[in-house]
Amino acid sequence: MLLHLSTWQEVEAYLQQSTGIILPIGSTEQHGPTGLIGTDAICAEAIARGVGEVTQAIVSPTINVGMALHHTAFPGTMSLRPRTLILLVRDYITSLAKAGFTKFYFINGHGGNIATLKAAFSETYAYLEDIQIPHAARVQCHVANWFMCGSVYRLAKELYGDKEGSHATPSEVAVTQYIYPEAIKQAPLSPEVASGHRIYSATDFRTHYPDGRMGSDPALATPEHGKQFYELAVKELSTGYWEFLQEKT
Amino acid sequence: MLLHLSTWQEVEAYLQQSTGIILPIGSTEQHGPTGLIGTDAICAEAIARGVGEVTQAIVSPTINVGMALHHTAFPGTMSLRPRTLILLVRDYITSLAKAGFTKFYFINGHGGNIATLKAAFSETYAYLEDIQIPHAARVQCHVANWFMCGSVYRLAKELYGDKEGSHATPSEVAVTQYIYPEAIKQAPLSPEVASGHRIYSATDFRTHYPDGRMGSDPALATPEHGKQFYELAVKELSTGYWEFLQEKT
Amino acid sequence: MLLHLSTWQEVEAYLQQSTGIILPIGSTEQHGPTGLIGTDAICAEAIARGVGEVTQAIVSPTINVGMALHHTAFPGTMSLRPRTLILLVRDYITSLAKAGFTKFYFINGHGGNIATLKAAFSETYAYLEDIQIPHAARVQCHVANWFMCGSVYRLAKELYGDKEGSHATPSEVAVTQYIYPEAIKQAPLSPEVASGHRIYSATDFRTHYPDGRMGSDPALATPEHGKQFYELAVKELSTGYWEFLQEKT
Amino acid sequence: MLLHLSTWQEVEAYLQQSTGIILPIGSTEQHGPTGLIGTDAICAEAIARGVGEVTQAIVSPTINVGMALHHTAFPGTMSLRPRTLILLVRDYITSLAKAGFTKFYFINGHGGNIATLKAAFSETYAYLEDIQIPHAARVQCHVANWFMCGSVYRLAKELYGDKEGSHATPSEVAVTQYIYPEAIKQAPLSPEVASGHRIYSATDFRTHYPDGRMGSDPALATPEHGKQFYELAVKELSTGYWEFLQEKT
Amino acid sequence: MLLHLSTWQEVEAYLQQSTGIILPIGSTEQHGPTGLIGTDAICAEAIARGVGEVTQAIVSPTINVGMALHHTAFPGTMSLRPRTLILLVRDYITSLAKAGFTKFYFINGHGGNIATLKAAFSETYAYLEDIQIPHAARVQCHVANWFMCGSVYRLAKELYGDKEGSHATPSEVAVTQYIYPEAIKQAPLSPEVASGHRIYSATDFRTHYPDGRMGSDPALATPEHGKQFYELAVKELSTGYWEFLQEKT
Amino acid sequence: MLLHLSTWQEVEAYLQQSTGIILPIGSTEQHGPTGLIGTDAICAEAIARGVGEVTQAIVSPTINVGMALHHTAFPGTMSLRPRTLILLVRDYITSLAKAGFTKFYFINGHGGNIATLKAAFSETYAYLEDIQIPHAARVQCHVANWFMCGSVYRLAKELYGDKEGSHATPSEVAVTQYIYPEAIKQAPLSPEVASGHRIYSATDFRTHYPDGRMGSDPALATPEHGKQFYELAVKELSTGYWEFLQEKT
């Protein structure tokens, strides 16, 4: 059930059955010479909707722009500052928690979002307790990173070995190829690719990762791989969502 | 050209041709018993992409959640606070302006966003001048509301007269029916519908507009009407975008 | 009744009769070679006090500095950032709402304030509901722009035609001449005056409007005109205030 | 020279002679049963204008609402939060410093503003250095409290002894009587008046100071006294302003 | 009783006896060629712990970095912006007030903290009333500056006369020598030392106080003096704390 | 070299040799019936100073209060909100970066700080680039968690097996016993200890972890263990610091 394709009365009915919601969060950032700028949002959205179908959970609109400041030296990258993203998450959850939602399951497509999301959850719990909404203490948020699913990780290892890398990876590129086969890109990729440098400022990042990739060979990706990753992630995160719903509050 | 389906190198090439970008902004809010919660985002996104095709402009991901605090007494509504939306817009523009974009054309689907967007533009101009990015003084932002297009307005008047109302209108519902024919909703609509009460707090809004509509009869909407509105808006806003690009800086 | 010339016990008594208050808001910004920097505050304050006399409403001190960032390339202009003005308005209303005021009628002298004021109202309604002050949901704010009164508009049209322009207009200059006849200024005004360029950054504004005027000929203003504008605005806004008081909460 | 009664070209000319400006700041808060709510703003504005006349300095519009949170349990009090006032002061100074002003002399009528003003100055110096406006390091701000002038203090002591108290004092009430003789108030004043309790929360304040006065007998005030206080303050602060202008930067 | 060396159950027991807490606050800033950068934190911490022993009060961890923006042109200085320090203090007090503490006695080692601390107290009282924690109105905060104790002042006068100065003073250096005899520094001190220039921006400060001292001769300090100052401050502030506890709420 | 026991001239000299600095960050939060509230700050500070001695690096004062909102239902816990901690870190780094420091090595004693610290680093890199301090792009921050050192983890496993748990662990308690043998606490510990529940709001945390421990048996801790942990952490983090210094910028 997609929130944006529902009416408020349908949401009201849904809340009689469940107070859980799935929120896809991605990023809009460079993904190397062949990766789509929307990769992280595309993957998160597709997988979140898949999980929504399996679990009958409602799925919110996607947070398309996340915390990608370190990629902003590449054109096309868009980023929120961490403090902005914290406020955004606080506002999202506050709106929904006032209506009765208590279980917030973020399906995330971007490693760079994790820290800020966790900070945002802490900020939000405190805010909800401060403003004393009913059931404030029962609100629970969780970030589930599809790319960290055990099954996904194992398949990526099997298919790509250490050419999976850590940004503009063949696994995430494969998922976008599966979702948007019409947008598969070709571009020269140097055989040598930087890796191992930690992430600091945007300028520093581009200096050390001149084409945007971090240790990956996205040329290995295929739409068929993408389908496999998609299905593994949907399956594993559906289980994760059910377990999350069952956690005591 | 869709930003999320592009690579950073394609954006780099685009910037050689144009420094303009189209940003769809909607809302996630109740739209009466039959209107989709995503109505404003759906319309803005579809029309923005149509304008992007006509004008060859790049289109950013959609801002799905806007300023809808007054609708938050209805379940399913999500809203940013104005100060959060201002920061979001500032962050979006700052990211893109550093990369060389100077013309920001927001295609907006929600009246409630307009004030905060305009405030955000002012905040952003000052911020960019403060941090002294190159060409800061040349950055220009514009909000174009598809539902205020003259051609759209005239057709709505002709088709619906005063049953167009001002929220959950048949014209916007029609556009969503055209985009998502599979999500056309049926629900009882009382023949009497509230209108004329100004917008204040969320509680006040729901008291005065108990089913969420403001003076509208969305049952008049058809997907065919939606196609007409869509085409009129795309045409008129494409012209608007070209004129905006030509404004001197 | 002027708040600053009252005692707290008089305010306590007033609140037994009415929970409405009028708040003048202006700006401190360039108004062309002959317009006073305080024009918008002067007009708003004078008209608000006139309305206060007619309606027996209490009138707060004037917000002298508003959102005028686009004028800051001219010396003497002072401006709040939108986020600051939002906080200011939130703080004003919160102070007064805790004491029992529920109807906030802003009489505004500056077009550039409107967007931020509306954003501030939304921010404030949500804040008051969050902190759960008594009657939070009944708080209502309204911005009434004296220069948009129908009667004012018609007289300006009649007297000045298209030489009214949109900034440093003869109508507002006339009101200041009526209020401060001792401060009527003379300065050369080029017969050609810029118009039609949209408002972006401060630097952009000064480039396109080099003497500060936007399409206006303030030399047409007279103190007698000012008196007429003043009286029309007071009359129309007094009616507006009464209607506002009668709106259901 | 009053900023609000000047044109931007007059300000431009002024800046050739001086980069100093006087900014009156008051408060809008209860002043006991007979003191005007606007007392602090009225005094600061009148004295600042007097100093402006003596020193030929430009005087900005008055900050009418300051930091008076501890008085907000009395109706009619309006207050900014400290963080809001800091932003307001930062915005005021930034606007003016960009135009070339470097010497900011705040004439203050309210003890409760002092701490926040000083914090705001520190915040602003750092901000101006961060955004690297020309002459950022030369910007100097000073708060001059008229009620702490030695000459004022001595006269108050002489006229009222320990009945001067520390809030709703006869000296400040006297100045308002001199400025607004038409607004002299009569109300019963209990002979016993609280004093000596430190200032904490708004509720605590009203509990300990039930009629709003702090150890004062404002019934001793006369308009003639007010004239004397006014003249002493104008004289002493004019000297203070000249000395401030001469401080090296 | 030191909070950091206690368990939560010991704190729970303490709260049965007292709701008071002592919070040391210092600064990390240059103190001239021979003064320790941690001077203000060292003094505040030592004296606060001394007062804690005498009064059996719990003592919180030290706020080591305060508001020292004006010293930041000297390497090694660290500072919070006033708005950050306000939030820090608000967060500290909110955490503790929710647990039942109501009396917050800040023992302060740095003049530059005072204004921001006072602003923070006002901000916090309002926040606690907004979020309606139990006993919000009874929360009381006080800043006690050890260097302003009458007994300390008199001894400094007696020992150093006008060579006490106002920054990097022999009295504070003496206390650090008493606490950390192993860190007594020797460095050339010019016999001439600047004084009398007010504090503005960091750059301005260093221009006028090139070695960091303000009118002081810290070479006069001895550890024995430090012991005397320490004991006087502990004694006087212990009395101050008891009186603070007894103030009615 | 301890920053607080240095003079600014010593720091100036240090910067000729190195631009690195170590910043200990802990927390002030409940650590079960026998763990000290200051555990995380005590461990971080001691280990950071140890690393400072080994590497000759300068060590800043300790951030004693971190992000511990989830522990605030236990008395004695103090916490910053994530947004406050982000500002604090931004201010710390900005002060030091302006003086020439570029390598910021945070030695952290609390898992709950990690997410917010990482968010703070991103926020800070962007801020420094915005304000264009020299070498902004070369600033690098790193968080090193002593309790995640491989050598520490292995020893804890060996000594305690799964009784190490994840909060109020015997390993961290042991370190505090080594540092403060005089503050070793005795209290009854139920043999059953909760574990496995994720961290959400403060109320939820206390419900699920009623005595504050998370799966740990701190009764196993001894000061001798603490010495071992301390030495392992100092050794491993010293190496980590040297590697960090050598990373290219």
Side-chain angles (χ1 to χ4, degrees), chain D residues 130 132, chain F residues 98 127:
Chain D
D130 276 1
Q132 300 179 22
Chain F
K98 285 183 175 176
Y127 186 71

Side-chain angles (χ1 to χ4, degrees), chain A residues 94 98 127 131-133, chain C residues 126-127 129-132:
Chain A
T94 302
K98 285 183 176 176
Y127 188 71
I131 65 170
Q132 301 180 21
I133 64 160
Chain C
Y127 187 72
E129 296 209 339
D130 276 1
I131 64 170
Q132 301 179 22

Side-chain angles (χ1 to χ4, degrees), chain A:
Chain A
M1 179 178 174
L2 299 176
L3 178 60
H4 70 289
L5 298 186
S6 307
T7 66
W8 71 262
Q9 294 175 342
E10 289 168 345
V11 176
E12 195 172 57
Y14 173 90
L15 281 163
Q16 303 305 310
Q17 313 298 323
S18 172
T19 61
I21 185 167
I22 294 171
L23 302 102
I25 175 168
S27 185
T28 295
E29 65 185 43
Q30 71 82 16
H31 273 79
T34 57
L36 305 182
I37 283 174
T39 296
D40 297 344
I42 292 165
C43 296
E45 182 170 287
I47 292 165
R49 290 181 181 184
V51 174
E53 279 167 28
V54 172
T55 62
Q56 299 297 305
I58 206 166
V59 180
S60 85
T62 303
I63 302 172
N64 289 307
V65 174
M67 211 311 291
L69 287 170
H70 47 300
H71 293 294
T72 50
F74 293 89
T77 299
M78 299 172 72
S79 179
L80 300 179
R81 312 266 163 146
R83 288 193 294 151
T84 306
L85 183 51
I86 288 173
L87 292 176
L88 179 148
V89 170
R90 185 202 66 180
D91 288 356
Y92 273 38
I93 296 175
T94 302
S95 301
L96 293 164
K98 285 183 176 176
F101 288 96
T102 63
K103 295 272 189 175
F104 297 87
Y105 194 73
F106 286 77
I107 291 187
N108 177 37
H110 173 48
N113 288 337
I114 300 171
T116 302
L117 271 179
K118 289 186 175 174
F121 296 165
S122 298
E123 187 92 24
T124 302
Y125 298 135
Y127 188 71
L128 295 178
E129 296 209 340
D130 276 0
I131 65 170
Q132 301 180 21
I133 64 160
H135 313 307
R138 292 177 49 219
V139 168
Q140 297 183 326
C141 304
H142 184 70
V143 53
N145 305 292
W146 76 266
F147 52 90
M148 288 184 181
C149 286
S151 55
V152 166
Y153 179 83
R154 282 187 296 275
L155 180 62
K157 194 82 187 167
E158 182 188 316
L159 292 174
Y160 313 126
D162 64 5
K163 301 205 166 175
E164 167 73 355
S166 53
H167 182 66
T169 63
S171 59
E172 62 185 349
V173 169
V175 174
T176 65
Q177 291 180 341
Y178 167 58
I179 307 296
Y180 288 108
E182 70 275 24
I184 298 178
K185 307 285 174 165
Q186 306 298 339
L189 289 171
S190 67
E192 308 257 306
V193 57
S195 71
H197 185 75
R198 284 175 182 148
I199 293 175
Y200 303 110
S201 71
T203 303
D204 181 86
F205 186 96
R206 187 155 183 180
T207 302
H208 288 92
Y209 297 105
D211 77 359
R213 292 177 297 150
M214 299 176 77
S216 66
D217 183 0
L220 303 174
T222 70
E224 294 69 30
H225 293 169
K227 183 166 190 289
Q228 289 177 272
F229 285 117
Y230 168 82
E231 288 169 354
L232 289 170
V234 166
K235 188 171 174 201
E236 189 164 330
L237 295 183
S238 294
T239 303
Y241 179 67
W242 278 316
E243 289 170 356
F244 176 60
L245 283 192
Q246 285 156 24
E247 271 185 60
K248 275 178 299 188
T249 57

Side-chain angles (χ1 to χ4, degrees), chain D residues 123 126-127 129-132, chain F residues 94 98 127 130-133:
Chain D
E123 187 93 23
Y127 187 71
E129 296 209 339
D130 276 1
I131 64 170
Q132 300 179 22
Chain F
T94 302
K98 285 183 175 176
Y127 186 71
D130 276 1
I131 65 170
Q132 301 180 23
I133 64 160

Side-chain angles (χ1 to χ4, degrees), chain C residues 44-60:
Chain C
E45 182 171 289
I47 293 165
R49 291 181 181 184
V51 174
E53 279 166 28
V54 171
T55 62
Q56 298 297 305
I58 206 165
V59 180
S60 84

Side-chain angles (χ1 to χ4, degrees), chain F residues 25-92:
Chain F
I25 175 168
S27 185
T28 295
E29 65 184 45
Q30 70 82 16
H31 273 78
T34 57
L36 304 182
I37 283 174
T39 295
D40 297 343
I42 292 164
C43 296
E45 181 170 288
I47 293 165
R49 291 181 180 183
V51 174
E53 280 167 27
V54 171
T55 62
Q56 299 297 303
I58 208 167
V59 181
S60 84
T62 303
I63 302 172
N64 290 307
V65 174
M67 211 312 290
L69 288 170
H70 46 299
H71 293 294
T72 49
F74 291 90
T77 299
M78 299 172 72
S79 179
L80 300 179
R81 312 266 163 146
R83 289 194 294 152
T84 306
L85 182 50
I86 288 173
L87 292 176
L88 179 147
V89 170
R90 184 203 66 179
D91 288 357
Y92 272 39

